[in-house]
Structures are given as structure tokens and as C-alpha cells.
Amino acid sequence: MTLDPEKPQTRQNVEVRFSPDGTPLAIRHDGRIWMVDPDVHTAHWYTRDAWWETRNRAAIGTGDLVSIEHWQVQATLPSAGAELRTFTLRREPLAAEWQLESIS
């Protein structure tokens, strides 16, 4: 799936490879591997989900139902002359997979 520049938003699942310290190293998207540039600033933050609006109950011991994790990184294809793109990634509470929120 290639993102349309007119509509750069998506919620497609992507694979993310992390370093031992938890920083993204690479993203597999659309059949290609994008390498995160370690020399460009990355942003990491959490937002809160209003779980009570989407779920009737939360079972005791379910875990963190409200923290949505986000990363914004600069990545490029490994080919010569490829330009950097900004990837915004998110992971929903209790989810194992990452979603591509946007590319710009």
C-alpha cells in the first residue's frame, strides 16, 4: 500500500525493529525496509485513550488500557540518494503490533 500524498494518514500495521535500548532502527512498510537515521532527532511520547468510550468494562488485571505509545522518526530507503521521510508510528494499549499513522 502506497500512501497518497493527498491523504497521508493510514492505520496500516507495520513491523518495527528496535535496538536493545528500545529505539526504532528499521520499519518494514509496503514491502520495503526503511532505515531509521540515527543522526536525526526522534520523538517518543504517550497519549491517553478514552477506553471507557470504546469498551464497556475493564477486567481486573487487564493491564494498561489507556497509554498509546508514539514514535516519530526520520527514515530512508537504503538506496543511494533516497530522501528522508517522517514516519509517525503508534501502538494501541495492549497491542503487539505497530501501526503507521502517517508518512510525510
Side-chain angles (χ1 to χ4, degrees), residues 46-90:
Y46 291 86
T47 57
R48 299 293 183 180
D49 180 36
W51 66 267
W52 56 88
E53 293 178 3
T54 58
R55 297 172 196 84
N56 291 332
R57 297 178 193 210
I60 295 174
T62 301
D64 184 351
L65 295 175
V66 297
S67 297
I68 301 170
E69 187 174 6
H70 300 267
W71 277 96
Q72 188 173 67
V73 298
Q74 302 288 315
T76 187
L77 292 170
S79 59
E83 68 179 81
L84 281 173
R85 305 285 299 271
T86 301
F87 284 72
T88 304
L89 309 168
R90 73 184 275 143

Side-chain angles (χ1 to χ4, degrees), residues 31 36 44 78 95:
V36 174
H44 184 222

Side-chain angles (χ1 to χ4, degrees), residues 26-39:
I27 302 163
R28 182 183 300 272
H29 165 62
D30 201 21
R32 298 189 276 177
I33 296 176
W34 295 77
M35 304 304 296
V36 174
D37 188 332
D39 298 326

